[in-house]
Amino acid sequence: MSRREGRGGLDRELERLDGAPYGRYKGLVGPWQLPGGWTVELVRAQADPFAPPARVAVRVPGERAAFPRDLWDSPVRRRALAGYVVRRAAREAAPERALRVDAGGQEVLDRSSCVVDAADGSVTLRLGVALPGQGRRIEGRAARRLLCDVLPRLAERALCHRASDADAAREFVATVEDSAALRAALPGLGLVAFVADGALLPRRTGADDRPADGADGVPFTAPDALRVTVRLPHAGPVTGTGIPEGVTLIVGGGFHGKSTLLRALETGVRDHEPGDGRERVASRADTVKIRAEDGRSVTRVDVHAFVDRLPQGSDTRDFSTPNASGSTSQAASLCEAVEAGARVLLIDEDTAATNLMIRDARMRALVSREHEPLTPLVDTVRSLHRDHGVSTVLVMGGSGDYLEVADRVLMMDAYRLSDVTERARQVAAVPEGRRAEAESFPGVVHRRPDPASLDATARGRPRVRARGRDLLVLGEHEVDVRAVEQLADAQQVVGVGLAIDLLVRRGHLDGRRSLAEALDLLDLDLAGPEGVAALLAVRDEDFAVPRRFEIAAAVNRVRGLRVSR
């Protein structure tokens, strides 16, 4: 038996290291076999007691984990089971301040912190462990307790079926599988989104994503005109509001739930845990939220559909700036999203550039077309759908111009939805003298990023990390992603950075492929047998797997990005 086999081996090593210099923990890097088939692996040791925690992986073999095969026999079920398990692990680890388990929030994402193996149902938990030290000396006995007693006990209670709540595990997996099936069904039904009757959309606060309670918790109910029934694998027939493809306007007074509904659609690209209130709110997977973003960089984007004849003579068919205005940033973000494959756009007037959204008849009379380079979205939004298959859902409370171009108009009144399309058409029939300034949206120009401009190394070493949900550190770059609103959390920001690094490492971005083509290859990597392991190969960190749209958004915000067209 080698020193890495048996509990005694790790026990003895930690006892032997008691009082040794802290850096000697590095000698323990690698897997250690413990009784019962557990494997504890020190993936990365701490440099000193004040450095970020060590990275440790605990693996329970399939026969010991013993979760029924029907809970992990598909990619969706494995993601769901891992989401259930990691939440149990986080609760078990909570009393131990030295342990850090990334369980995420309300969304159920593929996370590096917990993976269920497709071959045998084995469960691997990755977590941070602050290795004990006194000053710069190893506390061997405390380390032995953590690694040899606490972690196996946590694994027994959280990673094994016999210690779990079997009904809760099955409900968790069924909820996620229903949500994924609902999302997959939307294109075939001609819908961009679905909100089930009884869904609870309001959140407790802006900083608390749990469902609202008390008087604020108003269950959602479908208006008759949009009522749709969808059959799901576990829940069976589910009735709710189906939002069709095309141009949809959400109107209503202030504080009546317009933005809350849009936010639910924004997060509907992800599955949610049971009890969230949005478990059966689904948006198409290719849905992207667009907003204005003063100060962002833009690199060689064709924005001439919205911006023309800039006073300084910039070519808006090949537009670059280190400091975009609200209107040019929103125009660029819309074009970039379509370039990456978005087929549904969500826009809230509260975070949009007014002058890119509307230009009424009076303003047109005062400022002639010859002196106004902007073409408002209201004049091209129908062409986006008609000519390019891109639907749009807009929250609008201050402009009636969109009533003329909307396929349907929905009103939120005290968090209750009604279809007011016919009434809106009557209002829009009254002429106001407004004329459209464009007939169509011309499409997007695909760009080929230079992989050298996306280098993820700093001083010769890989560097990918997040500073909260707002900033991605990628090599020497600091990428502001605060306006990329569909990023779920800081761990998904890390996932974006690792994905960009993987795009370069694997040659998907080679200077010849377009960004969209490279993202297609990455999607195949992440959906294939490797899954999370593809990004773990870049660096073993806590991360959540991102969508292609958030990856593209980060690439487009790298200052110093170089592209050819």
Side-chain angles (χ1 to χ4, degrees):
M1 178 181 292
S2 75
R3 74 183 184 93
R4 291 186 178 271
E5 295 176 347
R7 171 180 170 144
L10 185 55
D11 264 356
R12 286 193 298 271
E13 287 298 315
L14 291 169
E15 287 275 7
R16 189 175 64 83
L17 290 176
D18 189 52
Y22 197 90
R24 296 275 297 278
Y25 270 128
K26 292 182 179 179
L28 302 179
V29 168
W32 294 82
Q33 297 297 323
L34 301 183
W38 316 110
T39 301
V40 173
E41 179 181 1
L42 183 58
V43 177
R44 187 171 62 251
Q46 288 169 256
D48 60 63
F50 311 102
R55 185 75 168 163
V56 175
V58 182
R59 182 179 180 275
V60 181
E63 63 271 16
R64 183 69 179 266
F67 284 99
R69 178 174 287 274
D70 67 336
L71 293 183
W72 52 269
D73 61 359
S74 74
V76 170
R77 292 176 180 178
R78 286 192 291 277
R79 171 165 57 83
L81 180 59
Y84 170 76
V85 167
V86 78
R87 284 161 171 78
R88 284 183 56 85
R91 289 193 293 271
E92 289 290 336
E96 295 285 345
R97 297 181 61 184
L99 304 184
R100 302 182 187 179
V101 177
D102 169 36
Q106 305 292 99
E107 298 88 2
V108 184
L109 305 173
D110 275 316
R111 292 184 176 273
S112 61
S113 54
C114 190
V115 176
V116 178
D117 192 275
D120 63 356
S122 61
V123 181
T124 300
L125 177 72
R126 293 177 173 84
L127 69 164
V129 179
L131 296 174
Q134 183 67 39
R136 295 188 180 275
R137 297 286 174 177
I138 290 174
E139 288 190 275
R141 293 179 181 83
R144 182 188 63 188
R145 173 183 167 274
L146 272 179
L147 299 179
C148 298
D149 296 330
V150 173
L151 286 186
R153 186 166 62 248
L154 183 153
E156 182 70 46
R157 293 175 177 174
L159 312 188
C160 296
H161 182 250
R162 67 182 180 185
S164 69
D165 182 331
D167 291 339
R170 195 160 292 280
E171 179 191 10
F172 199 104
V173 172
T175 297
V176 172
E177 189 167 32
D178 275 353
S179 173
L182 175 58
R183 186 175 302 103
L186 295 176
L189 297 171
L191 301 176
V192 299
F194 178 90
V195 183
D197 286 349
L200 192 61
L201 307 188
R203 303 290 96 187
R204 293 192 183 183
T205 69
D208 187 343
D209 203 37
R210 291 176 297 173
D213 50 14
D216 293 331
V218 179
F220 203 84
T221 304
D224 291 340
L226 297 177
R227 189 174 297 277
V228 174
T229 298
V230 183
R231 180 171 289 278
L232 301 181
H234 302 280
V238 174
T239 299
T241 300
I243 299 180
E245 297 171 349
V247 180
T248 298
L249 201 61
I250 302 173
V251 302
F255 309 103
H256 280 262
K258 303 187 302 297
S259 295
T260 298
L261 173 56
L262 197 75
R263 172 63 178 163
L265 302 185
E266 176 186 324
T267 64
V269 298
R270 301 185 289 268
D271 305 317
H272 293 80
E273 65 181 19
D276 173 79
R278 300 169 295 185
E279 302 95 317
R280 294 173 188 161
V281 177
S283 301
R284 282 183 45 157
D286 47 10
T287 297
V288 176
K289 173 75 179 299
I290 302 296
R291 60 168 296 162
E293 187 180 352
D294 289 304
R296 66 154 288 196
S297 62
V298 176
T299 305
R300 304 195 67 184
V301 179
D302 183 352
V303 296
H304 87 276
F306 302 105
V307 189
D308 195 16
R309 302 187 316 276
L310 287 177
Q312 65 271 33
S314 299
D315 182 2
T316 59
R317 294 176 184 269
D318 191 353
F319 179 71
S320 299
T321 179
N323 187 24
S325 66
S327 56
T328 54
S329 66
Q330 183 176 330
S333 293
L334 190 153
C335 294
E336 291 164 351
V338 176
E339 179 188 11
R343 291 297 174 264
V344 184
L345 304 177
L346 307 178
I347 301 175
D348 190 330
E349 66 174 351
D350 284 350
T351 56
T354 301
N355 56 349
L356 194 73
M357 298 296 290
I358 57 172
R359 201 161 91 91
D360 64 22
R362 290 187 178 92
M363 191 57 68
R364 290 170 194 246
L366 180 63
V367 181
S368 67
R369 179 59 179 156
E370 291 74 25
H371 296 94
E372 175 52 78
L374 296 178
T375 299
L377 176 65
V378 68
D379 290 338
T380 57
V381 69
R382 289 204 59 78
S383 173
L384 269 168
H385 181 243
R386 181 186 66 238
D387 302 325
H388 304 282
V390 179
S391 298
T392 309
V393 180
L394 304 107
V395 164
M396 187 65 63
S399 172
D401 289 349
Y402 279 88
L403 299 178
E404 297 182 32
V405 299
D407 292 304
R408 70 207 52 82
V409 181
L410 310 179
M411 179 176 286
M412 289 293 286
D413 182 3
Y415 290 96
R416 301 189 186 282
L417 188 71
S418 60
D419 185 340
V420 295
T421 303
E422 289 306 316
R423 181 179 164 198
R425 285 174 178 161
Q426 294 170 10
V427 172
V430 179
E432 289 197 353
R434 181 186 175 281
R435 292 179 300 168
E437 296 182 357
E439 293 294 327
S440 65
F441 179 82
V444 298
V445 174
H446 285 274
R447 299 163 300 146
R448 299 186 293 271
D450 177 356
S453 66
L454 295 168
D455 185 8
T457 61
R459 300 192 181 108
R461 300 179 63 182
R463 186 169 72 153
V464 174
R465 63 174 181 263
R467 293 180 186 165
R469 205 209 61 84
D470 294 342
L471 192 73
L472 167 66
V473 177
L474 181 73
E476 300 286 356
H477 307 289
E478 291 192 349
V479 188
D480 187 342
V481 293
R482 75 187 70 189
V484 185
E485 296 183 332
Q486 285 171 290
L487 284 168
D489 53 33
Q491 282 66 45
Q492 202 167 46
V493 175
V494 174
V496 165
L498 295 175
I500 294 172
D501 195 7
L502 189 66
L503 282 169
V504 175
R505 285 174 184 248
R506 294 199 170 176
H508 297 340
L509 283 177
D510 60 359
R512 297 184 298 275
R513 291 191 185 94
S514 70
L515 178 57
E517 290 170 334
L519 291 169
D520 288 342
L521 295 176
L522 181 65
D523 282 345
L524 291 175
D525 290 341
L526 298 180
E530 283 184 289
V532 171
L535 296 180
L536 276 171
V538 178
R539 185 168 173 81
D540 196 319
E541 297 279 3
D542 279 334
F543 65 81
V545 177
R547 299 188 308 156
R548 63 186 286 140
F549 303 105
E550 285 73 62
I551 299 168
V555 167
N556 285 313
R557 284 160 176 77
V558 171
R559 294 185 182 275
L561 174 67
R562 296 187 298 273
V563 302
S564 58
R565 293 169 22 125

